[in-house]
Amino acid sequence: MSFNLNFKKISFTIIVACLFVCLNVFAQREVKHNIPLNTIRLSDPAILADKGSQTYYMTGTGGLLWKSKDLKFWEGPYHVAKTNPDSWMGPNPMIWAAELHQYKNKYYYFATFTNRDVKIDTVAGNIIERRASHILVSDKPKGPYVPMADDIYLPANNPTLDGTFWVDTNGKPYMVYCYEWLQNGNGTMEKIELKPDLSGSIGEGQLLFKASDSPWSREKDEHGNDKPNKVTDGPYLFKTDTGRLGMIWTSWIYNDYTQGVAYSKTGTLDSPWIQEKDPITPPNFGHGMLFKTFEGKTLMSVHSHKKVNGRSVRIPHLFEVDLTGEKLIVKKEYSVE
């Protein structure tokens, strides 16, 4: 009897070990190699050029990571976001618009997390789910990225999204994010101070500008009248070579997803933000960010947006950018052929 029990225990252990090995092999097979950039389907692509590893790491919506040595061929996807199932996010949150930022020898994962099982409000018939910008951390660019000290960075009763990172002229780190139009009717761009190690936030969010401040983003109301668009989306901060502080961000021109730019009047986040009259990308390109290649060229990653058989298809693209003057100038699309 004792022998049979021990044999069963050993057999069960072997079966479990085999299953574990098989699952690992299957997971490894899911990782693809030599994938051209234009064949990847990804919203909100953000690329970290990590000098230490001489590797480009691309994140975006979906909680996955891709990596490349040359921007042409990519390897992935890897699951890198390790959230706490007992937190407000729940066991399986949606993950949008992830960005990687290196800061003080750590790597930080700024992303939007949505718990679809928690409803925080209903406005004009729209049920608003628990959604917020949040930050995870890792010692390595490839992750895994895990939670830090604070469970909540932004108010639980406000839907926020697309958080990005900036260190202002006062030396303090900030998250810049969107307060979603679904609740306030006129999306805003806001900032909140972060703790020195980015493990939580300090104080309350402060308004930078509203969607309606933009002269280029437009929509029609229910009566067909022309008015400013209500969407703020995808902020990303930069400085020109002359030291001018700017922010690219995305909204809509009627049915076209489009990106514009605003500039700080005095060079700080708190300064009045002056919106450029015209958008900077072709129609249906947006949610951009900027990075430098290892050869020193400044590029902007965006996704294209189009409908195919009733479904939205979003593909990463790269554009060459000129920052040598007072304004950001988007040049031709960057070829990775």
Side-chain angles (χ1 to χ4, degrees), residues 265-277:
K265 190 173 182 179
T266 62
T268 71
L269 289 178
D270 286 330
S271 176
W273 285 86
I274 311 302
Q275 304 290 334
E276 288 289 281
K277 179 182 176 182

Side-chain angles (χ1 to χ4, degrees), residues 42-250:
L42 181 67
S43 299
D44 317 322
I47 296 175
L48 171 72
D50 183 61
K51 293 181 180 179
S53 60
Q54 287 290 292
T55 302
Y56 298 102
Y57 295 90
M58 180 170 66
T59 51
T61 287
L64 303 175
L65 178 142
W66 294 80
K67 60 183 181 179
S68 172
K69 291 293 186 179
D70 58 9
L71 295 175
K72 181 179 180 180
F73 294 110
W74 294 80
E75 174 186 314
Y78 295 93
H79 294 264
V80 296
K82 309 296 181 183
T83 57
N84 177 6
D86 297 322
S87 72
W88 65 266
M89 298 178 190
N92 189 31
M94 296 173 66
I95 303 177
W96 297 349
E99 298 179 358
L100 302 182
H101 293 272
Q102 185 178 9
Y103 182 64
K104 293 185 176 179
N105 300 317
K106 296 279 188 180
Y107 294 86
Y108 294 91
Y109 187 94
F110 283 64
T112 304
F113 299 88
T114 300
N115 185 340
R116 305 203 69 183
D117 294 327
V118 178
K119 318 301 180 185
I120 62 172
D121 202 354
T122 301
V123 179
N126 291 317
I127 296 175
I128 300 172
E129 299 161 341
R130 177 73 169 94
R131 174 164 46 253
S133 293
H134 202 85
I135 307 172
L136 308 178
V137 68
S138 177
D139 291 326
K140 300 177 181 178
K142 64 181 181 180
Y145 289 86
V146 299
M148 291 185 281
D150 285 10
D151 188 45
I152 295 174
Y153 281 75
L154 296 165
N157 58 344
N158 292 349
T160 56
L161 68 160
D162 294 353
T164 190
F165 181 56
W166 189 251
V167 178
D168 211 1
T169 54
N170 58 9
K172 295 180 179 180
Y174 291 87
M175 180 196 292
V176 174
Y177 61 93
C178 304
Y179 173 22
E180 196 170 26
W181 64 271
L182 282 172
Q183 188 177 59
N184 63 20
N186 186 7
T188 61
M189 206 66 76
E190 303 185 2
K191 71 160 190 175
I192 193 166
E193 185 181 345
L194 299 173
K195 294 179 179 179
D197 63 354
L198 314 193
S199 64
S201 58
I202 299 171
E204 299 179 350
Q206 297 178 2
L207 175 68
L208 302 182
F209 61 82
K210 299 178 180 179
S212 58
D213 293 339
S214 165
W216 55 265
S217 60
R218 310 299 297 172
E219 65 176 299
K220 300 285 187 182
D221 67 15
E222 64 273 19
H223 304 294
N225 299 314
D226 199 72
K227 69 172 190 175
N229 199 283
K230 55 185 172 291
V231 174
T232 49
D233 184 78
Y236 195 87
L237 293 132
F238 66 92
K239 278 193 175 181
T240 66
D241 291 353
T242 62
R244 193 179 188 194
L245 176 62
M247 182 196 304
I248 52 177
W249 65 285
T250 302

Side-chain angles (χ1 to χ4, degrees), residues 37 40-48 57-62 64 66 74 96-100 162 233-236 248 250 257 259 285-291 299-305 314-319:
L37 181 65
I40 296 173
R41 301 296 181 261
L42 181 67
S43 299
D44 317 322
I47 296 175
L48 171 72
Y57 295 90
M58 180 170 66
T59 51
T61 287
L64 303 175
W66 294 80
W74 294 80
W96 297 349
E99 298 179 358
L100 302 182
D162 294 353
D233 184 78
Y236 195 87
I248 52 177
T250 302
Y257 190 67
Q259 184 171 252
F285 287 87
H287 202 113
M289 59 82 61
L290 305 175
F291 70 98
L299 300 181
M300 179 175 70
S301 69
V302 296
H303 69 248
S304 58
H305 178 95
R314 297 181 172 185
I315 300 171
H317 294 261
L318 301 175
F319 283 86

Side-chain angles (χ1 to χ4, degrees), residues 253-266:
I253 301 178
Y254 307 114
N255 294 321
D256 292 332
Y257 190 67
T258 310
Q259 184 171 252
V261 63
Y263 293 98
S264 166
K265 190 173 182 179
T266 62

